[in-house]
Amino acid sequence: MKKIYKKKCRRKGLKAIITGGLGKCGPYLYAGIKGEKRSIGGSIGGSIGTKGGQVYASTHNKKVRLGMIYNLNTKSITPKVKIKKKRKKKAN
């Protein structure tokens, strides 16, 4: 994936990004906003490329990340769940 354009902006706990480039399936454009707090955060974004358009939304806390992807061409929703597991520390 080769990024041609990338612009980031940060303001009071919010991050915004606009990026475009050449991906595996052709050119794409992505824009998104991410809210950051220490315990809870969320993000929304959208992308348009040669494979179609998608809209993303997710929220997370310290243990679980919940997200959804809406495909604009097929009008289908794909849920995503990721559970963060604690790793055991190695003893020296």
Side-chain angles (χ1 to χ4, degrees):
M1 181 181 324
K2 182 179 180 182
K3 291 183 181 173
I4 296 172
Y5 177 78
K6 185 175 185 179
K7 180 69 178 169
K8 288 185 177 181
C9 178
R10 290 185 182 184
R11 301 263 172 152
K12 295 184 182 179
L14 289 175
K15 297 178 188 177
I17 186 169
I18 296 174
T19 183
L22 296 172
K24 184 169 58 172
C25 298
Y28 73 94
L29 177 66
Y30 173 82
I33 298 174
K34 184 176 184 181
E36 280 292 325
K37 288 188 176 180
R38 291 187 177 215
S39 60
I40 295 176
S43 66
I44 57 171
S47 68
I48 298 173
T50 54
K51 289 188 89 174
Q54 293 181 338
V55 179
Y56 310 94
S58 71
T59 183
H60 68 277
N61 62 16
K62 291 182 179 180
K63 295 182 181 179
V64 179
R65 177 183 292 165
L66 301 172
M68 290 199 167
I69 299 173
Y70 178 72
N71 191 320
L72 298 172
N73 295 343
T74 61
K75 298 190 178 14
S76 63
I77 297 174
T78 306
K80 290 195 169 196
V81 177
K82 183 176 183 181
I83 299 172
K84 298 177 186 177
K85 297 179 181 179
K86 288 186 177 182
R87 295 183 182 186
K88 293 181 181 179
K89 293 183 180 180
K90 292 183 179 180
N92 290 354

